[in-house]
Structure formats: structure tokens, C-alpha cells
């Protein structure tokens, strides 16, 4: 876990900052005091040493004029060395003096060993502070005019010798230490007073107002209906503080404005201004039992397609406005999506109310010129005094009303639809899971050519294997997924697996395609590609359900022509189920008619079925189409089919579906 530095208050931050500044200031004072002390000590030492050297030189010069010898001068120096404790004075001759008055050996050795003396002999004043707190000053004695009478071998400005003075710096150091101490103490006191004053002003004018400002901010509740502006800093005469408060209040106002708009957009339908599905769920979720009438505009998609979405929105707005006028005051109105409106109240809806409401909407007229002749109808699903799954139950009642072609229906009359609804949800989940886990399999049922039992062909039939290994037939799930994206996936799996199974065999096989498959361009293209890759496309037959409603004859014709051009065949499945268009069937040029099972299963005991089957067989022979009898369950049906001239037999009497085709 990432370590986070603990938070501190503004007052603590200011105090820490001031303490740090005071500490740094004291360090700076001490450093400056020390440097000043060293500088002053050197200057004072130089001045005192010069003064002493000048006095000593004048005394010595006076005595030398009186004719004193070297020994007399050394006695004077020895006496001067006792004048002050720790003072030591020495005099060294230069080479000019040594040439005239002789060399003093010990002095010469001292000059040769000590570089400071040699430096002074070169004419430089030298001062050094020794570790023992003493000063050493070497004063070069220069030749003056008055010296030429004795030192006639020299010139003015030459060095006659060096006066070496060493004396204690105790008194100077003590005085300077006291002075520096007073300086640091005074400056420290000043800094403490300054920072105390600064903290007092800073705390009163900045820290306290900002702390109060932050506490007021903490009290703000964005969920409250009203947020009062913060007015803590309005008494401050600091421009930046006032600007901060004004900017914050302006920002809070904008946030509240957009927050309210966001909440409205989440709970309000922007087209009609009614509460939306979110508001409906919010309001019915916390209350007790209520009644709901879910009202839907019939065939609204067709209206949108014909008039356009702009006109569709106009219709929705007009319907919403009309509903607002006619809905009783105790009923809340919502638009919960598409063309559905929900009416919710705390009491039951009367049948007369629903009838009157739908009649009012049926008589609704529209102001738009293009919509003048439009008359809409609406269907309602009603659930009375429920608190659980209210929207779901109203939707079930609405679906029941549409299926039964009734203007409205109550949920209590639609219970069987709820069972179907749950079945729908279950199988959608089951099929989707089976596709993802590759549990969609094929079984193959044999089709026998009459008179040629060894000439095998098979129909590929889809199955779903559940998690427990149970096998489910298409009648259990195919109608559920027919209009979903899963249906196309199943068709693709069936085509792929069937072509792979019969790739290397000699058997013919057939596959079922719905009208939806043929209308789907991706599915059609996949069928074409599979036929292109298959070496013997003449073995393949596509069975199309004749009982399905066909709306796009042009696409179907194109598909049949393309399949025939690729070498495959077409069969009309469930032929004779009651919806055949013989003119269109002749135009489509199918290769087989698979006679509907409802006719075959009773052919041996129902004369009408036998007559109808016989008519179909004769019709097919005249136009050159072979026939297949489905549902041949016993020997008697098989014999009757043969007598009527049917070309192929299929059913449990011929063979049950199995996971693998036999004999291929």
C-alpha cells in the first residue's frame, strides 16, 4: 500500500515554517558574528602591533643615536619583554646592516629558518594569529634620511631589519566576544519579536479566516436542495481572500446548476419532459403496492420508417401532451422508452377508465400537415396493486394484449405468458452458453430412395447438449432464438459441421435454412463460400420452410439461382402445410418437395390426407420435382407412400437421427 504523508493544519504549517526560519536566522547570525569577530580581531591586532612597533623603533632609534651598542639594545628589548605578560620582541639585522656592523649568528639562523622573517625582510608587513590566541607582527624597518648618517651603505627605502613582536590577544578577544554576544543577543531578540508579530498578523489576517473558510466548505452538502453561499471572508480587506471566496461561491453555484441538470437528464425524458424509466424505478421502488398501465403506440416503428424520426418524435410529444391533459391528478405519468408510456397510481384502474383513455388517444389529431390523416391506436397492459416486478408484469400483460389482438389486458389474465417469458430467458442463456462452450452438435437422420435402399442421404439436424449431457431438440429452443443474433451463429455452426462431416464421404446431405438466414447477407455469403470450397456441391441440398412468411421474393430468387449455379439443390420443406403459393413455387424451380408431416402421419387412416398427398405427388411429377415423405413412422405409412409414388422416405421407420451418418 502506498504510504501517504499525514495531513497537518494550516496553523501547524505556519508555525513549523516560522520555527525553521528562526533557526536558520540564528545560524546565519552566528556565522556572521564569527566572521565579523575574526575580521575585527585582525584589524585591531594589526593596529596595535603597528603602534607598539613604531614606539619600540623610535625608542631604539633614539638610543642608537646616543651610541648604544647591540648589547644595550638587547637589554632594552629584554626589559620591554617584561612590560606585558606574554609579550616577546626580537630584532633582526638585514644584510645591509650585517655588511657594516657584522653578522649575529643566532639571528642569521633564525632568519634562514623562519619564512615569515624572510618575507618581512622583503618589505612585507606580516601578521599571524597563532593557535595559542597570540598575535605575531613582523615590522620591516625601512631606511630614512636620518638613518643615512650611520648607514651610509644604504639608500632611503631599503630594509635595515625586521622587528618581530609577539603579544597576547586575550584582551582584544574578550572585548570582541562580548561585543559579538551583545550583537547576536540583540539581533535574536529582534527576530523573535519580528516573527511573533508576523505570526500574530498572519494568523489573524490569513490563517484564521482560511481555517473558518475550510470548515464552512466541509459543511456543504451537495445533496441538499439549497446550498447557502460561504460568507466567512466577506469582512476581510484582503483582495485575494475576497476573490477566493467569491470564486468559490461562483464555482459552487455552477456545480449545483449542472448537478441539477444532470439529475434532471437522468430522471427526465428530454423529448417529452416526463419522468423516465429511472424516475419510475426510483419512485415505485421505495413505496408500497401500486397499479400500472403500460401503454404502447401500435406499429410505431412503421410510423418512424414511413414519416421519419423527426415526425415520430412529434407524435410522441403530442401523445405525451394529450396524456398530461387526460390523466387524472392522482396518476403519475412517465415515458419509459421508445413508444411506451406508464401510468402509475396508488389505486386500481377501472376497465372503463382504460377504455376511455385508449379511445381518447385513438381520436388524437396532429397539427403537422403531413400527419393530418394519421390515426394511431394504442395497446395497454395493466397490473393492479403490486409491489414486486411491476414493470415486468405490466410488460407481460402488454405482450399478451398484442398477441390476443386486444386493446388491453390485465396481468392476471396473462400468467401463461409469464411462463413463456421465463422459458425464453432460460433458453437464450442456455443457447448462448452452448455456443460459447461448443455444445452445439449435429445429428443425422437418413433419407431413403424408394427402390434403392443402399443409396444413402441424410438430413443434418441441430441439437443442444446441456451442462449435464442432456440432448435438446430444436423444438425446445429454436423458436426462442429465431429473431436474435444467436440464430445466425447456430446456422453458421450447422453449415460448417455438416460440410466437414461429409467432406470425404459419398453421401448426399441436406441442411435447413430459414427465410431469416436467406435474408441475412453474411449468412448467404457464408453458404456461397462453403459451396465454392466443397468438391462435390451436387450432394448438398438446402431445405427452405414453405410455411414461413416470405416478404422479400427478390432476395429468395437470387439465393435459389446462386445455389443452383454452384451445383447445389433446393428443397421446399413442410410442403402442403397450408400456405403454398403454387405460382411462386413454379417460378422458384425447387428440386424437391418435402411433404408436411401433418399429411404423412395420417395417410394410412385419413382418406383426405391420402387424396391431398396424391395430388401433390402428381403435381410435382408434372413439373419434374421429386418428393420426400417426412414422418414415416411405420411399415404401413411407408407402404402407402410407395403406392402413391413418393420418391424418398424419411422417419423413424427408416432410421432415427444419430451423431454420425452410417455408411458414408
Amino acid at each position: 500500500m502506498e504510504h501517504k504523508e499525514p495531513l497537518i493544519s494550516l496553523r501547524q504549517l505556519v508555525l513549523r515554517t516560522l520555527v525553521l526560519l528562526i533557526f536558520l536566522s540564528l545560524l546565519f547570525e552566528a556565522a556572521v558574528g564569527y566572521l565579523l569577530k575574526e575580521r575585527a580581531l585582525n584589524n585591531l591586532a594589526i593596529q596595535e602591533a603597528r603602534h607598539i612597533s613604531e614606539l619600540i623603533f623610535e625608542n631604539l632609534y633614539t638610543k642608537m643615536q646616543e651610541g648604544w651598542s647591540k648589547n644595550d639594545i638587547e637589554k632594552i628589548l629584554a626589559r620591554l619583554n617584561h612590560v606585558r605578560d606574554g609579550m616577546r620582541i626580537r630584532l633582526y639585522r638585514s644584510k645591509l646592516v650585517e655588511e657594516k656592523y657584522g653578522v649575529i649568528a643566532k639571528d642569521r639562523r633564525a632568519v634562514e629558518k623562519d619564512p615569515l622573517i624572510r618575507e618581512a625582510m622583503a618589505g612585507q608587513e606580516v601578521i599571524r594569529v597563532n593557535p595559542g590566541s597570540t598575535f605575531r607582527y613582523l615590522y620591516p624597518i625601512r631606511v630614512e634620511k636620518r638613518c643615512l648618517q650611520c648607514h651610509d651603505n644604504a639608500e632611503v627605502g631599503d630594509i635595515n631589519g625586521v622587528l618581530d613582536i609577539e603579544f597576547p590577544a586575550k584582551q582584544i578577544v574578550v572585548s570582541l566576544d562580548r561585543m559579538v554576544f551583545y550583537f547576536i543577543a540583540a539581533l535574536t531578540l529582534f527576530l523573535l519579536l519580528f516573527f511573533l508579530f508576523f505570526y500574530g498578523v498572519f494568523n489573524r489576517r490569513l490563517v484564521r479566516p482560511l481555517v473558518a473558510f475550510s470548515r464552512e466548505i466541509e459543511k456543504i452538502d451537495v445533496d441538499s436542495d439549497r446550498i447557502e453561499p460561504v460568507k466567512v471572508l466577506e469582512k476581510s480587506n484582503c483582495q485575494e481572500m475576497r476573490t477566493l471566496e467569491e470564486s468559490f461561491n461562483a464555482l459552487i453555484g455552477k456545480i449545483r446548476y449542472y448537478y441539477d441538470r444532470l439529475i434532471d437528464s437522468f430522471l427526465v425524458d428530454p423529448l417529452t419532459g416526463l419522468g423516465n424509466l429511472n424516475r419510475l424505478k426510483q419512485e415505485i421502488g421505495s413505496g408500497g403496492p401500486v397499479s400500472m398501465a403500460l401503454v404502447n403506440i401500435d406499429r410505431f416503428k412503421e410510423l418512424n420508417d414511413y414519416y421519419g424520426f423527426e415526425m415520430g418524435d412529434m407524435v410522441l410529444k403530442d401523445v405525451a401532451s394529450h396524456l398530461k391533459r387526460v390523466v387524472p391528478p392522482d396518476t403519475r405519468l412517465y415515458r419509459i422508452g421508445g413508444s411506451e408510456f406508464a401510468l402509475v397510481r396508488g389505486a386500481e384502474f377501472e376497465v372503463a377508465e382504460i377504455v376511455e383513455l385508449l379511445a381518447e388517444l385513438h381520436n388524437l389529431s396532429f397539427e403537422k400537415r403531413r400527419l393530418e390523416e394519421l390515426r394511431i391506436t394504442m395497446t395497454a397492459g395493466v397490473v393492479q396493486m403490486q409491489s414486486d416486478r411491476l414493470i415486468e408484469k405490466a410488460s407481460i400483460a402488454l405482450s399478451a394484449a398484442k398477441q390476443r389482438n386486444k386493446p388491453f389486458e390485465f396481468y392476471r389474465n396473462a400468467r401463461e405468458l409469464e411462463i413463456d417469458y421465463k422459458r425464453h430467458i432460460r433458453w437464450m442463456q442456455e443457447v448462448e452458453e452452448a455456443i460459447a462452450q461448443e455444445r452445439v452438435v449435429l445429428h443425422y437422420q437418413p433419407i431413403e430412395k424408394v427402390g434403392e435402399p443402399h443409396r444413402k442421404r441424410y438430413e443434418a439436424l441441430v441439437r443442444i447438449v446441456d451442462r449435464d449431457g442432456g440432448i435438446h431438440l430444436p423444438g425446445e429452443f429454436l423458436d426462442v432464438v429465431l429473431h436474435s443474433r444467436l440464430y445466425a451463429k447456430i446456422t453458421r455452426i450447422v453449415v460448417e459441421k455438416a460440410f466437414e462431416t461429409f467432406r470425404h464421404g459419398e453421401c448426399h446431405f441436406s441442411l435447413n435454412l430459414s427465410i431469416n438466414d436467406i435474408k441475412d447477407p453474411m449468412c448467404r455469403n457464408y453458404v456461397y463460400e462453403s459451396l465454392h470450397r466443397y468438391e462435390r456441391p451436387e450432394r448438398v441440398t438446402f431445405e427452405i420452410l414453405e410455411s414461413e412468411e416470405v416478404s422479400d421474393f427478390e432476395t429468395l430468387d437470387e439465393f435459389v439461382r446462386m445455389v443452383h449455379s454452384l451445383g447445389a439443390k433446393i428443397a421446399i420443406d413442410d410442403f402442403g402445410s397450408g400456405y403454398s403459393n403454387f405460382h411462386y413455387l413454379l417460378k422458384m424451380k425447387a428440386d424437391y418437395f418435402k411433404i408436411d408431416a401433418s399429411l404423412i402421419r395420417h395417410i394410412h387412416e385419413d382418406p383426405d390426407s391420402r387424396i391431398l398427398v396424391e395430388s401433390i405427388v402428381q403435381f410435382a411429377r408434372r413439373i419434374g420435382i421429386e418428393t420426400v415423405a417426412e414422418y414415416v413412422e411405420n411399415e404401413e405409412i411407408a407402404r402407402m407412400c410407395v403406392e402413391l409414388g413418393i420418391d424418398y422416405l424419411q422417419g423413424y421407420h427408416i432410421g432415427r437421427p444419430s451423431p454420425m451418418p452410417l455408411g458414408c
Side-chain angles (χ1 to χ4, degrees):
M1 183 180 293
E2 184 180 355
H3 174 71
K4 291 185 178 179
E5 187 177 351
L7 298 176
I8 61 173
S9 66
L10 181 61
R11 185 176 282 106
Q12 289 176 320
L13 180 63
V14 171
L15 282 173
R16 290 184 183 183
T17 304
L18 290 178
V19 169
L20 179 62
L21 287 175
I22 291 174
F23 177 73
L24 294 176
S25 300
L26 292 176
L27 286 180
F28 180 73
E29 284 180 43
V32 170
Y34 176 78
L35 292 175
L36 289 175
K37 173 185 172 183
E38 293 298 316
R39 185 72 178 268
L41 190 64
N42 287 340
N43 289 337
L44 289 173
I46 290 172
Q47 291 177 9
E48 185 171 356
R50 281 177 179 170
H51 180 66
I52 294 172
S53 299
E54 289 172 355
L55 288 175
I56 293 172
F57 175 72
E58 290 298 326
N59 287 328
L60 293 177
Y61 183 76
T62 301
K63 296 301 180 181
M64 284 188 291
Q65 285 183 327
E66 294 177 357
W68 283 34
S69 66
K70 171 65 175 173
N71 292 330
D72 296 329
I73 293 173
E74 288 182 350
K75 290 178 181 179
I76 293 174
L77 293 176
R79 187 176 297 173
L80 289 173
N81 286 336
H82 289 87
V83 172
R84 180 185 293 181
D85 291 339
M87 179 178 284
R88 182 179 63 81
I89 303 173
R90 293 183 179 85
L91 184 64
Y92 301 101
R93 291 178 175 181
S94 68
K95 290 183 178 181
L96 290 174
V97 176
E98 287 178 341
E99 290 176 359
K100 188 170 180 65
Y101 296 103
V103 176
I104 300 174
K106 63 176 182 177
D107 291 347
R108 166 55 54 190
R109 287 194 298 271
V111 171
E112 291 175 351
K113 290 181 178 180
D114 195 336
L116 295 180
I117 300 175
R118 292 198 301 273
E119 186 178 346
M121 287 291 185
Q124 297 292 329
E125 285 185 89
V126 179
I127 185 166
R128 290 290 184 273
V129 180
N130 295 323
S133 297
T134 60
F135 287 103
R136 186 183 179 193
Y137 180 67
L138 290 92
Y139 177 71
I141 302 173
R142 297 183 181 275
V143 176
E144 300 177 357
K145 284 186 179 181
R146 58 182 178 174
C147 301
L148 295 178
Q149 57 183 343
C150 297
H151 299 281
D152 53 7
N153 64 333
E155 296 180 357
V156 176
D158 289 342
I159 303 300
N160 269 348
V162 171
L163 188 61
D164 185 358
I165 303 172
E166 188 174 353
F167 58 93
K170 183 177 181 181
Q171 293 179 349
I172 299 175
V173 171
V174 170
S175 299
L176 283 175
D177 283 345
R178 187 177 294 112
M179 182 184 69
V180 170
F181 172 77
Y182 289 148
F183 165 75
I184 292 176
L187 187 57
T188 300
L189 180 62
F190 169 77
L191 288 174
L192 287 173
L193 292 174
F194 170 77
F195 282 120
L196 285 174
F197 173 77
F198 176 77
Y199 175 73
V201 174
F202 191 79
N203 184 54
R204 181 172 59 86
R205 303 291 294 275
L206 182 62
V207 175
R208 287 180 184 173
L210 286 178
V211 170
F213 182 65
S214 65
R215 288 174 180 169
E216 288 298 317
I217 293 175
E218 289 177 353
K219 296 177 183 178
I220 293 176
D221 182 9
V222 294
D223 293 328
S224 64
D225 294 334
R226 180 175 176 80
I227 299 178
E228 296 295 334
V230 178
K231 296 182 179 180
V232 175
L233 306 179
E234 63 180 359
K235 296 181 180 179
S236 174
N237 61 355
C238 177
Q239 180 180 351
E240 286 75 12
M241 299 282 280
R242 295 286 296 276
T243 302
L244 174 64
E245 185 177 76
E246 292 170 2
S247 301
F248 177 79
N249 287 330
L251 177 62
I252 286 295
K254 289 182 180 179
I255 291 173
R256 184 67 200 188
Y257 170 74
Y258 288 110
Y259 174 79
D260 291 340
R261 291 191 63 183
L262 179 62
I263 292 299
D264 286 342
S265 66
F266 180 72
L267 299 175
V268 177
D269 174 49
L271 180 65
T272 63
L274 299 175
N276 60 14
L277 180 61
N278 295 320
R279 172 155 286 174
L280 173 62
K281 290 179 178 179
Q282 184 184 79
E283 293 182 355
I284 67 175
S286 57
V290 293
S291 298
M292 175 186 289
L294 191 61
V295 183
N296 175 258
I297 300 176
D298 296 331
R299 296 182 299 279
F300 185 73
K301 182 180 182 304
E302 296 175 16
L303 185 149
N304 259 341
D305 293 341
Y306 183 77
Y307 289 101
F309 288 101
E310 183 179 350
M311 291 298 179
D313 288 346
M314 185 65 65
V315 170
L316 290 173
K317 291 170 68 175
D318 287 350
V319 169
S321 299
H322 194 68
L323 282 170
K324 290 177 186 177
R325 292 194 297 269
V326 301
V327 166
D330 63 341
T331 303
R332 289 167 287 171
L333 181 62
Y334 308 86
R335 180 192 172 210
I336 63 173
S339 60
E340 288 187 345
F341 297 86
L343 287 69
V344 179
R345 62 159 58 162
E348 290 190 352
F349 286 97
E350 299 293 336
V351 174
E353 284 183 288
I354 304 297
V355 172
E356 184 178 354
L357 175 66
L358 296 178
E360 285 274 354
L361 294 171
H362 181 70
N363 295 325
L364 179 62
S365 60
F366 300 94
E367 297 179 1
K368 275 283 184 182
R369 196 170 174 185
R370 287 180 58 193
L371 300 175
E372 287 178 353
E373 302 300 323
L374 178 65
R375 290 292 177 268
I376 64 168
T377 60
M378 302 189 75
T379 305
V382 184
V383 56
Q384 302 280 41
M385 299 307 292
Q386 298 276 333
S387 57
D388 181 42
R389 297 167 48 233
L390 194 71
I391 301 173
E392 180 184 334
K393 291 175 180 178
S395 298
I396 291 171
L398 177 63
S399 298
K402 286 183 176 292
Q403 287 187 11
R404 296 165 184 173
N405 199 24
K406 297 173 64 175
F408 63 92
E409 185 61 274
F410 289 94
Y411 172 70
R412 61 176 176 267
N413 300 326
R415 298 289 175 84
E416 71 280 359
L417 198 66
E418 183 174 15
I419 297 172
D420 189 60
Y421 179 71
K422 291 180 178 178
R423 169 183 169 270
H424 183 93
I425 293 176
R426 176 211 162 200
W427 276 112
M428 285 291 290
Q429 295 173 343
E430 185 73 38
V431 171
E432 186 167 19
E433 194 175 281
I435 292 173
Q437 298 177 5
E438 298 184 354
R439 289 191 277 107
V440 178
V441 300
L442 297 186
H443 282 198
Y444 304 92
Q445 186 172 26
I447 303 173
E448 184 179 292
K449 173 74 170 177
V450 174
E452 301 178 23
H454 301 294
R455 189 177 173 184
K456 295 290 186 184
R457 61 178 64 214
Y458 289 87
E459 180 180 1
L461 303 170
V462 68
R463 301 285 189 267
I464 292 292
V465 181
D466 62 27
R467 289 183 292 271
D468 299 324
I471 298 177
H472 298 274
L473 303 179
E476 297 181 72
F477 61 85
L478 211 54
D479 62 321
V480 173
V481 300
L482 181 60
H483 299 288
S484 73
R485 58 183 175 80
L486 300 178
Y487 191 84
K489 292 184 177 181
I490 291 177
T491 300
R492 189 182 184 99
I493 293 171
V494 169
V495 172
E496 179 183 2
K497 290 192 173 185
F499 273 73
E500 182 61 31
T501 299
F502 294 99
R503 179 166 301 278
H504 304 294
E506 295 295 328
C507 295
H508 291 241
F509 65 97
S510 61
L511 305 162
N512 289 285
L513 292 180
S514 69
I515 297 299
N516 287 343
D517 292 327
I518 295 172
K519 289 167 64 177
D520 183 354
M522 294 184 66
C523 183
R524 290 200 309 271
N525 290 333
Y526 186 71
V527 169
Y528 301 154
E529 291 171 5
S530 299
L531 287 173
H532 272 297
R533 293 194 301 267
Y534 196 56
E535 295 180 359
R536 301 285 299 277
E538 68 276 4
R539 298 182 193 164
V540 184
T541 300
F542 293 100
E543 299 183 8
I544 302 171
L545 282 175
E546 184 264 336
S547 59
E548 287 191 351
E549 182 180 353
V550 180
S551 58
D552 190 350
F553 292 106
E554 185 177 346
T555 300
L556 183 57
D557 285 340
E558 179 191 347
F559 176 77
V560 172
R561 285 197 303 269
M562 190 66 181
V563 167
H564 280 152
S565 69
L566 293 171
K569 295 179 174 61
I570 295 292
I572 305 299
D573 200 6
D574 292 344
F575 188 88
S577 55
Y579 301 94
S580 296
N581 184 325
F582 285 95
H583 173 72
Y584 181 72
L585 292 176
L586 288 171
K587 184 180 177 183
M588 194 168 68
K589 296 181 180 179
D591 300 285
Y592 304 99
F593 286 161
K594 295 193 73 173
I595 303 172
D596 186 59
S598 63
L599 300 176
I600 298 298
R601 71 172 61 176
H602 302 297
I603 194 173
H604 61 296
E605 55 188 9
D606 182 10
D608 292 335
S609 296
R610 190 162 55 249
I611 292 171
L612 185 53
V613 170
E614 186 177 9
S615 299
I616 292 173
V617 172
Q618 291 176 0
F619 168 73
R621 281 184 177 175
R622 288 176 185 173
I623 59 176
I625 296 177
E626 293 186 294
T627 54
V628 182
E630 297 182 297
Y631 217 90
V632 178
E633 302 299 301
N634 53 55
E635 178 64 31
E636 191 174 359
I637 295 176
R639 181 179 54 79
M640 185 64 69
C641 288
V642 173
E643 290 178 0
L644 292 175
I646 294 176
D647 301 294
Y648 295 91
L649 304 179
Q650 180 180 0
Y652 284 179
H653 180 67
I654 306 302
R656 292 177 177 271
S658 61
M660 288 300 296
L662 302 177
C664 290

